[in-house]
Each structure stands twice: as C-alpha cells, then as structure tokens.
PDB file of all heavy atoms in Angstrom:
ATOM      1  N   TYR A  50     152.258  77.172  60.394  1.00  0.00           N
ATOM      2  CA  TYR A  50     153.145  78.219  60.902  1.00  0.00           C
ATOM      3  C   TYR A  50     152.372  79.494  61.215  1.00  0.00           C
ATOM      4  O   TYR A  50     151.393  79.829  60.549  1.00  0.00           O
ATOM      5  CB  TYR A  50     154.223  78.556  59.863  1.00  0.00           C
ATOM      6  CG  TYR A  50     155.207  77.452  59.604  1.00  0.00           C
ATOM      7  CD1 TYR A  50     155.009  76.544  58.569  1.00  0.00           C
ATOM      8  CD2 TYR A  50     156.340  77.315  60.401  1.00  0.00           C
ATOM      9  CE1 TYR A  50     155.917  75.518  58.336  1.00  0.00           C
ATOM     10  CE2 TYR A  50     157.259  76.300  60.177  1.00  0.00           C
ATOM     11  CZ  TYR A  50     157.032  75.400  59.137  1.00  0.00           C
ATOM     12  OH  TYR A  50     157.924  74.393  58.913  1.00  0.00           O
ATOM     13  N   LEU A  51     152.862  80.210  62.215  1.00  0.00           N
ATOM     14  CA  LEU A  51     152.407  81.567  62.475  1.00  0.00           C
ATOM     15  C   LEU A  51     152.743  82.405  61.240  1.00  0.00           C
ATOM     16  O   LEU A  51     153.837  82.263  60.662  1.00  0.00           O
ATOM     17  CB  LEU A  51     153.136  82.093  63.713  1.00  0.00           C
ATOM     18  CG  LEU A  51     152.821  83.479  64.225  1.00  0.00           C
ATOM     19  CD1 LEU A  51     151.407  83.523  64.795  1.00  0.00           C
ATOM     20  CD2 LEU A  51     153.835  83.867  65.297  1.00  0.00           C
ATOM     21  N   ASP A  52     151.824  83.264  60.827  1.00  0.00           N
ATOM     22  CA  ASP A  52     152.047  84.022  59.593  1.00  0.00           C
ATOM     23  C   ASP A  52     153.375  84.781  59.602  1.00  0.00           C
ATOM     24  O   ASP A  52     154.068  84.848  58.582  1.00  0.00           O
ATOM     25  CB  ASP A  52     150.893  85.010  59.374  1.00  0.00           C
ATOM     26  CG  ASP A  52     149.645  84.327  58.843  1.00  0.00           C
ATOM     27  OD1 ASP A  52     149.734  83.162  58.416  1.00  0.00           O
ATOM     28  OD2 ASP A  52     148.578  84.964  58.848  1.00  0.00           O
ATOM     29  N   SER A  53     153.716  85.356  60.730  1.00  0.00           N
ATOM     30  CA  SER A  53     154.900  86.213  60.782  1.00  0.00           C
ATOM     31  C   SER A  53     156.217  85.439  60.663  1.00  0.00           C
ATOM     32  O   SER A  53     157.272  86.052  60.476  1.00  0.00           O
ATOM     33  CB  SER A  53     154.907  87.031  62.077  1.00  0.00           C
ATOM     34  OG  SER A  53     154.975  86.188  63.201  1.00  0.00           O
ATOM     35  N   VAL A  54     156.179  84.113  60.752  1.00  0.00           N
ATOM     36  CA  VAL A  54     157.417  83.337  60.637  1.00  0.00           C
ATOM     37  C   VAL A  54     157.459  82.494  59.362  1.00  0.00           C
ATOM     38  O   VAL A  54     158.471  81.848  59.088  1.00  0.00           O
ATOM     39  CB  VAL A  54     157.636  82.418  61.862  1.00  0.00           C
ATOM     40  CG1 VAL A  54     157.517  83.210  63.154  1.00  0.00           C
ATOM     41  CG2 VAL A  54     156.709  81.219  61.858  1.00  0.00           C
ATOM     42  N   LYS A  55     156.390  82.513  58.597  1.00  0.00           N
ATOM     43  CA  LYS A  55     156.360  81.730  57.357  1.00  0.00           C
ATOM     44  C   LYS A  55     157.496  82.148  56.437  1.00  0.00           C
ATOM     45  O   LYS A  55     157.749  83.332  56.226  1.00  0.00           O
ATOM     46  CB  LYS A  55     155.019  81.903  56.654  1.00  0.00           C
ATOM     47  CG  LYS A  55     153.874  81.150  57.308  1.00  0.00           C
ATOM     48  CD  LYS A  55     152.572  81.369  56.548  1.00  0.00           C
ATOM     49  CE  LYS A  55     151.428  80.618  57.211  1.00  0.00           C
ATOM     50  NZ  LYS A  55     150.130  80.881  56.530  1.00  0.00           N
ATOM     51  N   GLY A  56     158.177  81.159  55.880  1.00  0.00           N
ATOM     52  CA  GLY A  56     159.295  81.428  54.992  1.00  0.00           C
ATOM     53  C   GLY A  56     160.615  81.640  55.705  1.00  0.00           C
ATOM     54  O   GLY A  56     161.673  81.670  55.070  1.00  0.00           O
ATOM     55  N   ARG A  57     160.561  81.788  57.036  1.00  0.00           N
ATOM     56  CA  ARG A  57     161.794  81.994  57.803  1.00  0.00           C
ATOM     57  C   ARG A  57     162.082  80.835  58.761  1.00  0.00           C
ATOM     58  O   ARG A  57     163.242  80.501  58.999  1.00  0.00           O
ATOM     59  CB  ARG A  57     161.697  83.295  58.611  1.00  0.00           C
ATOM     60  CG  ARG A  57     161.502  84.538  57.773  1.00  0.00           C
ATOM     61  CD  ARG A  57     161.617  85.809  58.619  1.00  0.00           C
ATOM     62  NE  ARG A  57     160.588  85.904  59.645  1.00  0.00           N
ATOM     63  CZ  ARG A  57     160.829  85.994  60.955  1.00  0.00           C
ATOM     64  NH1 ARG A  57     162.072  85.992  61.400  1.00  0.00           N
ATOM     65  NH2 ARG A  57     159.820  86.083  61.820  1.00  0.00           N
ATOM     66  N   PHE A  58     161.038  80.241  59.308  1.00  0.00           N
ATOM     67  CA  PHE A  58     161.186  79.154  60.279  1.00  0.00           C
ATOM     68  C   PHE A  58     160.761  77.836  59.635  1.00  0.00           C
ATOM     69  O   PHE A  58     159.834  77.807  58.825  1.00  0.00           O
ATOM     70  CB  PHE A  58     160.306  79.393  61.512  1.00  0.00           C
ATOM     71  CG  PHE A  58     160.735  80.525  62.403  1.00  0.00           C
ATOM     72  CD1 PHE A  58     161.713  81.435  62.028  1.00  0.00           C
ATOM     73  CD2 PHE A  58     160.138  80.687  63.646  1.00  0.00           C
ATOM     74  CE1 PHE A  58     162.096  82.476  62.853  1.00  0.00           C
ATOM     75  CE2 PHE A  58     160.507  81.710  64.494  1.00  0.00           C
ATOM     76  CZ  PHE A  58     161.488  82.612  64.088  1.00  0.00           C
ATOM     77  N   THR A  59     161.413  76.757  60.050  1.00  0.00           N
ATOM     78  CA  THR A  59     161.061  75.425  59.577  1.00  0.00           C
ATOM     79  C   THR A  59     161.034  74.463  60.755  1.00  0.00           C
ATOM     80  O   THR A  59     162.018  74.358  61.504  1.00  0.00           O
ATOM     81  CB  THR A  59     162.065  74.910  58.538  1.00  0.00           C
ATOM     82  OG1 THR A  59     162.130  75.826  57.437  1.00  0.00           O
ATOM     83  CG2 THR A  59     161.635  73.541  58.022  1.00  0.00           C
ATOM     84  N   ILE A  60     159.920  73.770  60.924  1.00  0.00           N
ATOM     85  CA  ILE A  60     159.795  72.761  61.972  1.00  0.00           C
ATOM     86  C   ILE A  60     159.993  71.390  61.359  1.00  0.00           C
ATOM     87  O   ILE A  60     159.562  71.136  60.231  1.00  0.00           O
ATOM     88  CB  ILE A  60     158.426  72.870  62.689  1.00  0.00           C
ATOM     89  CG1 ILE A  60     158.402  71.967  63.928  1.00  0.00           C
ATOM     90  CG2 ILE A  60     157.273  72.572  61.735  1.00  0.00           C
ATOM     91  CD1 ILE A  60     157.184  72.200  64.814  1.00  0.00           C
ATOM     92  N   SER A  61     160.666  70.516  62.092  1.00  0.00           N
ATOM     93  CA  SER A  61     160.863  69.140  61.632  1.00  0.00           C
ATOM     94  C   SER A  61     160.919  68.232  62.852  1.00  0.00           C
ATOM     95  O   SER A  61     161.049  68.700  63.981  1.00  0.00           O
ATOM     96  CB  SER A  61     162.144  69.016  60.804  1.00  0.00           C
ATOM     97  OG  SER A  61     163.272  69.381  61.575  1.00  0.00           O
ATOM     98  N   ARG A  62     160.802  66.928  62.600  1.00  0.00           N
ATOM     99  CA  ARG A  62     160.775  65.989  63.709  1.00  0.00           C
ATOM    100  C   ARG A  62     161.566  64.744  63.365  1.00  0.00           C
ATOM    101  O   ARG A  62     161.695  64.388  62.194  1.00  0.00           O
ATOM    102  CB  ARG A  62     159.337  65.612  64.085  1.00  0.00           C
ATOM    103  CG  ARG A  62     158.553  64.950  62.965  1.00  0.00           C
ATOM    104  CD  ARG A  62     157.061  64.868  63.288  1.00  0.00           C
ATOM    105  NE  ARG A  62     156.765  63.853  64.284  1.00  0.00           N
ATOM    106  CZ  ARG A  62     155.572  63.692  64.845  1.00  0.00           C
ATOM    107  NH1 ARG A  62     154.573  64.511  64.524  1.00  0.00           N
ATOM    108  NH2 ARG A  62     155.366  62.746  65.731  1.00  0.00           N
ATOM    109  N   ASP A  63     162.090  64.108  64.398  1.00  0.00           N
ATOM    110  CA  ASP A  63     162.768  62.821  64.271  1.00  0.00           C
ATOM    111  C   ASP A  63     162.082  61.880  65.249  1.00  0.00           C
ATOM    112  O   ASP A  63     162.307  61.958  66.462  1.00  0.00           O
ATOM    113  CB  ASP A  63     164.258  62.966  64.602  1.00  0.00           C
ATOM    114  CG  ASP A  63     165.036  61.683  64.384  1.00  0.00           C
ATOM    115  OD1 ASP A  63     164.455  60.585  64.557  1.00  0.00           O
ATOM    116  OD2 ASP A  63     166.225  61.755  64.055  1.00  0.00           O
ATOM    117  N   ASN A  64     161.218  61.029  64.735  1.00  0.00           N
ATOM    118  CA  ASN A  64     160.420  60.169  65.594  1.00  0.00           C
ATOM    119  C   ASN A  64     161.267  59.132  66.330  1.00  0.00           C
ATOM    120  O   ASN A  64     160.925  58.735  67.449  1.00  0.00           O
ATOM    121  CB  ASN A  64     159.336  59.463  64.784  1.00  0.00           C
ATOM    122  CG  ASN A  64     158.288  60.427  64.278  1.00  0.00           C
ATOM    123  OD1 ASN A  64     157.983  61.427  64.928  1.00  0.00           O
ATOM    124  ND2 ASN A  64     157.745  60.147  63.112  1.00  0.00           N
ATOM    125  N   VAL A  65     162.352  58.719  65.725  1.00  0.00           N
ATOM    126  CA  VAL A  65     163.225  57.732  66.368  1.00  0.00           C
ATOM    127  C   VAL A  65     163.871  58.341  67.606  1.00  0.00           C
ATOM    128  O   VAL A  65     164.002  57.703  68.647  1.00  0.00           O
ATOM    129  CB  VAL A  65     164.296  57.220  65.391  1.00  0.00           C
ATOM    130  CG1 VAL A  65     165.295  56.313  66.095  1.00  0.00           C
ATOM    131  CG2 VAL A  65     163.642  56.499  64.221  1.00  0.00           C
ATOM    132  N   LYS A  66     164.264  59.592  67.501  1.00  0.00           N
ATOM    133  CA  LYS A  66     164.930  60.283  68.615  1.00  0.00           C
ATOM    134  C   LYS A  66     163.945  61.023  69.519  1.00  0.00           C
ATOM    135  O   LYS A  66     164.366  61.667  70.478  1.00  0.00           O
ATOM    136  CB  LYS A  66     165.953  61.282  68.072  1.00  0.00           C
ATOM    137  CG  LYS A  66     167.098  60.645  67.311  1.00  0.00           C
ATOM    138  CD  LYS A  66     168.088  61.701  66.832  1.00  0.00           C
ATOM    139  CE  LYS A  66     169.257  61.076  66.096  1.00  0.00           C
ATOM    140  NZ  LYS A  66     170.221  62.099  65.616  1.00  0.00           N
ATOM    141  N   ASN A  67     162.649  60.960  69.208  1.00  0.00           N
ATOM    142  CA  ASN A  67     161.634  61.710  69.976  1.00  0.00           C
ATOM    143  C   ASN A  67     162.013  63.174  70.095  1.00  0.00           C
ATOM    144  O   ASN A  67     161.962  63.775  71.185  1.00  0.00           O
ATOM    145  CB  ASN A  67     161.458  61.109  71.377  1.00  0.00           C
ATOM    146  CG  ASN A  67     160.756  59.767  71.336  1.00  0.00           C
ATOM    147  OD1 ASN A  67     159.974  59.495  70.428  1.00  0.00           O
ATOM    148  ND2 ASN A  67     161.040  58.920  72.299  1.00  0.00           N
ATOM    149  N   THR A  68     162.412  63.751  68.970  1.00  0.00           N
ATOM    150  CA  THR A  68     162.925  65.118  68.954  1.00  0.00           C
ATOM    151  C   THR A  68     162.202  65.955  67.913  1.00  0.00           C
ATOM    152  O   THR A  68     161.898  65.467  66.820  1.00  0.00           O
ATOM    153  CB  THR A  68     164.435  65.112  68.658  1.00  0.00           C
ATOM    154  OG1 THR A  68     165.121  64.391  69.700  1.00  0.00           O
ATOM    155  CG2 THR A  68     164.990  66.525  68.591  1.00  0.00           C
ATOM    156  N   VAL A  69     161.972  67.200  68.269  1.00  0.00           N
ATOM    157  CA  VAL A  69     161.434  68.172  67.326  1.00  0.00           C
ATOM    158  C   VAL A  69     162.425  69.329  67.235  1.00  0.00           C
ATOM    159  O   VAL A  69     163.061  69.684  68.226  1.00  0.00           O
ATOM    160  CB  VAL A  69     160.030  68.663  67.749  1.00  0.00           C
ATOM    161  CG1 VAL A  69     160.061  69.409  69.064  1.00  0.00           C
ATOM    162  CG2 VAL A  69     159.399  69.496  66.659  1.00  0.00           C
ATOM    163  N   TYR A  70     162.553  69.876  66.045  1.00  0.00           N
ATOM    164  CA  TYR A  70     163.497  70.966  65.790  1.00  0.00           C
ATOM    165  C   TYR A  70     162.754  72.194  65.277  1.00  0.00           C
ATOM    166  O   TYR A  70     161.682  72.082  64.679  1.00  0.00           O
ATOM    167  CB  TYR A  70     164.521  70.542  64.732  1.00  0.00           C
ATOM    168  CG  TYR A  70     165.279  69.284  65.055  1.00  0.00           C
ATOM    169  CD1 TYR A  70     164.880  68.062  64.524  1.00  0.00           C
ATOM    170  CD2 TYR A  70     166.392  69.310  65.882  1.00  0.00           C
ATOM    171  CE1 TYR A  70     165.571  66.895  64.820  1.00  0.00           C
ATOM    172  CE2 TYR A  70     167.093  68.144  66.184  1.00  0.00           C
ATOM    173  CZ  TYR A  70     166.671  66.947  65.645  1.00  0.00           C
ATOM    174  OH  TYR A  70     167.361  65.791  65.937  1.00  0.00           O
ATOM    175  N   LEU A  71     163.358  73.348  65.479  1.00  0.00           N
ATOM    176  CA  LEU A  71     162.860  74.578  64.873  1.00  0.00           C
ATOM    177  C   LEU A  71     164.067  75.337  64.336  1.00  0.00           C
ATOM    178  O   LEU A  71     164.866  75.867  65.106  1.00  0.00           O
ATOM    179  CB  LEU A  71     162.087  75.437  65.877  1.00  0.00           C
ATOM    180  CG  LEU A  71     161.438  76.678  65.279  1.00  0.00           C
ATOM    181  CD1 LEU A  71     160.285  76.250  64.341  1.00  0.00           C
ATOM    182  CD2 LEU A  71     160.881  77.590  66.367  1.00  0.00           C
ATOM    183  N   GLN A  72     164.189  75.334  63.025  1.00  0.00           N
ATOM    184  CA  GLN A  72     165.239  76.111  62.373  1.00  0.00           C
ATOM    185  C   GLN A  72     164.706  77.507  62.141  1.00  0.00           C
ATOM    186  O   GLN A  72     163.679  77.683  61.476  1.00  0.00           O
ATOM    187  CB  GLN A  72     165.631  75.460  61.037  1.00  0.00           C
ATOM    188  CG  GLN A  72     166.694  76.228  60.270  1.00  0.00           C
ATOM    189  CD  GLN A  72     168.028  76.250  60.968  1.00  0.00           C
ATOM    190  OE1 GLN A  72     168.485  75.235  61.476  1.00  0.00           O
ATOM    191  NE2 GLN A  72     168.662  77.425  60.991  1.00  0.00           N
ATOM    192  N   MET A  73     165.410  78.492  62.685  1.00  0.00           N
ATOM    193  CA  MET A  73     164.954  79.877  62.597  1.00  0.00           C
ATOM    194  C   MET A  73     165.998  80.686  61.844  1.00  0.00           C
ATOM    195  O   MET A  73     167.135  80.820  62.297  1.00  0.00           O
ATOM    196  CB  MET A  73     164.753  80.453  64.006  1.00  0.00           C
ATOM    197  CG  MET A  73     163.805  79.632  64.863  1.00  0.00           C
ATOM    198  SD  MET A  73     163.449  80.399  66.466  1.00  0.00           S
ATOM    199  CE  MET A  73     165.059  80.311  67.239  1.00  0.00           C
ATOM    200  N   ASN A  74     165.610  81.191  60.691  1.00  0.00           N
ATOM    201  CA  ASN A  74     166.496  82.006  59.859  1.00  0.00           C
ATOM    202  C   ASN A  74     165.955  83.422  59.761  1.00  0.00           C
ATOM    203  O   ASN A  74     164.790  83.684  60.059  1.00  0.00           O
ATOM    204  CB  ASN A  74     166.600  81.395  58.458  1.00  0.00           C
ATOM    205  CG  ASN A  74     167.197  80.005  58.468  1.00  0.00           C
ATOM    206  OD1 ASN A  74     168.028  79.664  59.310  1.00  0.00           O
ATOM    207  ND2 ASN A  74     166.756  79.169  57.530  1.00  0.00           N
ATOM    208  N   SER A  75     166.808  84.326  59.313  1.00  0.00           N
ATOM    209  CA  SER A  75     166.420  85.735  59.130  1.00  0.00           C
ATOM    210  C   SER A  75     165.701  86.262  60.365  1.00  0.00           C
ATOM    211  O   SER A  75     164.635  86.886  60.278  1.00  0.00           O
ATOM    212  CB  SER A  75     165.512  85.871  57.895  1.00  0.00           C
ATOM    213  OG  SER A  75     166.173  85.396  56.738  1.00  0.00           O
ATOM    214  N   LEU A  76     166.286  86.023  61.517  1.00  0.00           N
ATOM    215  CA  LEU A  76     165.651  86.407  62.777  1.00  0.00           C
ATOM    216  C   LEU A  76     165.513  87.915  62.900  1.00  0.00           C
ATOM    217  O   LEU A  76     166.367  88.683  62.418  1.00  0.00           O
ATOM    218  CB  LEU A  76     166.439  85.844  63.962  1.00  0.00           C
ATOM    219  CG  LEU A  76     166.206  84.361  64.210  1.00  0.00           C
ATOM    220  CD1 LEU A  76     167.314  83.748  65.033  1.00  0.00           C
ATOM    221  CD2 LEU A  76     164.856  84.149  64.892  1.00  0.00           C
ATOM    222  N   LYS A  77     164.419  88.325  63.550  1.00  0.00           N
ATOM    223  CA  LYS A  77     164.107  89.730  63.747  1.00  0.00           C
ATOM    224  C   LYS A  77     164.001  90.021  65.244  1.00  0.00           C
ATOM    225  O   LYS A  77     163.694  89.108  66.027  1.00  0.00           O
ATOM    226  CB  LYS A  77     162.773  90.063  63.076  1.00  0.00           C
ATOM    227  CG  LYS A  77     162.724  89.745  61.587  1.00  0.00           C
ATOM    228  CD  LYS A  77     161.330  90.015  61.034  1.00  0.00           C
ATOM    229  CE  LYS A  77     161.256  89.696  59.552  1.00  0.00           C
ATOM    230  NZ  LYS A  77     159.910  89.969  58.995  1.00  0.00           N
ATOM    231  N   PRO A  78     164.190  91.255  65.651  1.00  0.00           N
ATOM    232  CA  PRO A  78     164.048  91.580  67.083  1.00  0.00           C
ATOM    233  C   PRO A  78     162.691  91.167  67.649  1.00  0.00           C
ATOM    234  O   PRO A  78     162.610  90.773  68.825  1.00  0.00           O
ATOM    235  CB  PRO A  78     164.241  93.097  67.106  1.00  0.00           C
ATOM    236  CG  PRO A  78     165.143  93.374  65.954  1.00  0.00           C
ATOM    237  CD  PRO A  78     164.707  92.405  64.886  1.00  0.00           C
ATOM    238  N   GLU A  79     161.653  91.216  66.841  1.00  0.00           N
ATOM    239  CA  GLU A  79     160.326  90.836  67.318  1.00  0.00           C
ATOM    240  C   GLU A  79     160.178  89.336  67.534  1.00  0.00           C
ATOM    241  O   GLU A  79     159.153  88.890  68.050  1.00  0.00           O
ATOM    242  CB  GLU A  79     159.228  91.341  66.373  1.00  0.00           C
ATOM    243  CG  GLU A  79     159.448  90.994  64.927  1.00  0.00           C
ATOM    244  CD  GLU A  79     160.101  92.142  64.147  1.00  0.00           C
ATOM    245  OE1 GLU A  79     161.070  92.755  64.673  1.00  0.00           O
ATOM    246  OE2 GLU A  79     159.651  92.404  63.018  1.00  0.00           O
ATOM    247  N   ASP A  80     161.172  88.553  67.165  1.00  0.00           N
ATOM    248  CA  ASP A  80     161.171  87.118  67.461  1.00  0.00           C
ATOM    249  C   ASP A  80     161.678  86.836  68.875  1.00  0.00           C
ATOM    250  O   ASP A  80     161.635  85.686  69.333  1.00  0.00           O
ATOM    251  CB  ASP A  80     162.044  86.352  66.462  1.00  0.00           C
ATOM    252  CG  ASP A  80     161.512  86.402  65.040  1.00  0.00           C
ATOM    253  OD1 ASP A  80     160.285  86.275  64.876  1.00  0.00           O
ATOM    254  OD2 ASP A  80     162.319  86.552  64.115  1.00  0.00           O
ATOM    255  N   THR A  81     162.153  87.861  69.556  1.00  0.00           N
ATOM    256  CA  THR A  81     162.651  87.693  70.921  1.00  0.00           C
ATOM    257  C   THR A  81     161.544  87.201  71.838  1.00  0.00           C
ATOM    258  O   THR A  81     160.467  87.800  71.908  1.00  0.00           O
ATOM    259  CB  THR A  81     163.213  89.022  71.448  1.00  0.00           C
ATOM    260  OG1 THR A  81     164.360  89.379  70.674  1.00  0.00           O
ATOM    261  CG2 THR A  81     163.608  88.899  72.913  1.00  0.00           C
ATOM    262  N   ALA A  82     161.797  86.095  72.518  1.00  0.00           N
ATOM    263  CA  ALA A  82     160.795  85.483  73.395  1.00  0.00           C
ATOM    264  C   ALA A  82     161.396  84.254  74.060  1.00  0.00           C
ATOM    265  O   ALA A  82     162.501  83.820  73.698  1.00  0.00           O
ATOM    266  CB  ALA A  82     159.569  85.068  72.588  1.00  0.00           C
ATOM    267  N   VAL A  83     160.661  83.700  75.005  1.00  0.00           N
ATOM    268  CA  VAL A  83     160.975  82.370  75.514  1.00  0.00           C
ATOM    269  C   VAL A  83     160.216  81.378  74.640  1.00  0.00           C
ATOM    270  O   VAL A  83     159.001  81.523  74.454  1.00  0.00           O
ATOM    271  CB  VAL A  83     160.578  82.211  76.982  1.00  0.00           C
ATOM    272  CG1 VAL A  83     160.870  80.783  77.462  1.00  0.00           C
ATOM    273  CG2 VAL A  83     161.314  83.227  77.845  1.00  0.00           C
ATOM    274  N   TYR A  84     160.923  80.404  74.112  1.00  0.00           N
ATOM    275  CA  TYR A  84     160.333  79.403  73.230  1.00  0.00           C
ATOM    276  C   TYR A  84     160.129  78.097  73.994  1.00  0.00           C
ATOM    277  O   TYR A  84     161.047  77.615  74.670  1.00  0.00           O
ATOM    278  CB  TYR A  84     161.235  79.180  72.017  1.00  0.00           C
ATOM    279  CG  TYR A  84     161.148  80.291  71.007  1.00  0.00           C
ATOM    280  CD1 TYR A  84     161.676  81.556  71.290  1.00  0.00           C
ATOM    281  CD2 TYR A  84     160.521  80.106  69.778  1.00  0.00           C
ATOM    282  CE1 TYR A  84     161.573  82.592  70.384  1.00  0.00           C
ATOM    283  CE2 TYR A  84     160.420  81.134  68.856  1.00  0.00           C
ATOM    284  CZ  TYR A  84     160.952  82.380  69.168  1.00  0.00           C
ATOM    285  OH  TYR A  84     160.847  83.409  68.257  1.00  0.00           O
ATOM    286  N   TYR A  85     158.931  77.538  73.849  1.00  0.00           N
ATOM    287  CA  TYR A  85     158.558  76.315  74.550  1.00  0.00           C
ATOM    288  C   TYR A  85     158.183  75.231  73.538  1.00  0.00           C
ATOM    289  O   TYR A  85     157.439  75.500  72.584  1.00  0.00           O
ATOM    290  CB  TYR A  85     157.354  76.542  75.445  1.00  0.00           C
ATOM    291  CG  TYR A  85     157.540  77.564  76.535  1.00  0.00           C
ATOM    292  CD1 TYR A  85     157.263  78.906  76.306  1.00  0.00           C
ATOM    293  CD2 TYR A  85     157.978  77.182  77.800  1.00  0.00           C
ATOM    294  CE1 TYR A  85     157.430  79.849  77.307  1.00  0.00           C
ATOM    295  CE2 TYR A  85     158.137  78.113  78.811  1.00  0.00           C
ATOM    296  CZ  TYR A  85     157.868  79.441  78.550  1.00  0.00           C
ATOM    297  OH  TYR A  85     158.026  80.375  79.551  1.00  0.00           O
ATOM    298  N   CYS A  86     158.646  74.018  73.773  1.00  0.00           N
ATOM    299  CA  CYS A  86     158.167  72.924  72.933  1.00  0.00           C
ATOM    300  C   CYS A  86     156.990  72.238  73.628  1.00  0.00           C
ATOM    301  O   CYS A  86     156.835  72.305  74.852  1.00  0.00           O
ATOM    302  CB  CYS A  86     159.269  71.918  72.622  1.00  0.00           C
ATOM    303  SG  CYS A  86     159.987  71.094  74.042  1.00  0.00           S
ATOM    304  N   ASN A  87     156.183  71.591  72.820  1.00  0.00           N
ATOM    305  CA  ASN A  87     154.953  70.964  73.310  1.00  0.00           C
ATOM    306  C   ASN A  87     154.707  69.691  72.527  1.00  0.00           C
ATOM    307  O   ASN A  87     154.767  69.700  71.296  1.00  0.00           O
ATOM    308  CB  ASN A  87     153.792  71.942  73.144  1.00  0.00           C
ATOM    309  CG  ASN A  87     152.452  71.330  73.465  1.00  0.00           C
ATOM    310  OD1 ASN A  87     151.819  70.723  72.602  1.00  0.00           O
ATOM    311  ND2 ASN A  87     152.019  71.481  74.697  1.00  0.00           N
ATOM    312  N   PHE A  88     154.475  68.579  73.259  1.00  0.00           N
ATOM    313  CA  PHE A  88     154.099  67.316  72.631  1.00  0.00           C
ATOM    314  C   PHE A  88     152.676  67.004  73.093  1.00  0.00           C
ATOM    315  O   PHE A  88     152.400  67.011  74.299  1.00  0.00           O
ATOM    316  CB  PHE A  88     155.010  66.177  73.085  1.00  0.00           C
ATOM    317  CG  PHE A  88     156.393  66.183  72.486  1.00  0.00           C
ATOM    318  CD1 PHE A  88     156.920  67.290  71.859  1.00  0.00           C
ATOM    319  CD2 PHE A  88     157.182  65.039  72.568  1.00  0.00           C
ATOM    320  CE1 PHE A  88     158.191  67.275  71.311  1.00  0.00           C
ATOM    321  CE2 PHE A  88     158.456  65.015  72.042  1.00  0.00           C
ATOM    322  CZ  PHE A  88     158.976  66.136  71.416  1.00  0.00           C
TER     323      PHE A  88
END
C-alpha cells in the first residue's frame, strides 16, 4: 500500500470472477483522483 492509505484502504481479489476490489474508508479530500485498475 501507498503509505498515505495504509490502514484506510484494503485491496482484495476474486480470481474466479477476474475481479479486484479496493475498499476505501475514512476518505480524505486528498484522495480525490481518477482511479485506474491494472492487471
């Protein structure tokens, strides 16, 4: 994890569904951005 999101964001994957998730909690204004997934 990026240091600034440690403890707030959680990444997980479902290999059967070919899906990756990003749970983002305690969001801050500095988290504002376009988010891209990458395989």
Side-chain angles (χ1 to χ4, degrees):
Y50 293 93
L51 181 69
D52 283 347
S53 62
V54 308
K55 285 180 180 177
R57 300 188 297 121
F58 290 11
T59 302
I60 189 170
S61 60
R62 60 192 286 172
D63 184 329
N64 292 328
V65 174
K66 296 181 179 180
N67 289 333
T68 298
V69 64
Y70 304 97
L71 185 69
Q72 178 66 44
M73 304 185 294
N74 298 329
S75 302
L76 283 160
K77 303 176 180 181
E79 51 263 44
D80 295 318
T81 295
V83 178
Y84 284 70
Y85 299 89
C86 61
N87 173 273
F88 285 16

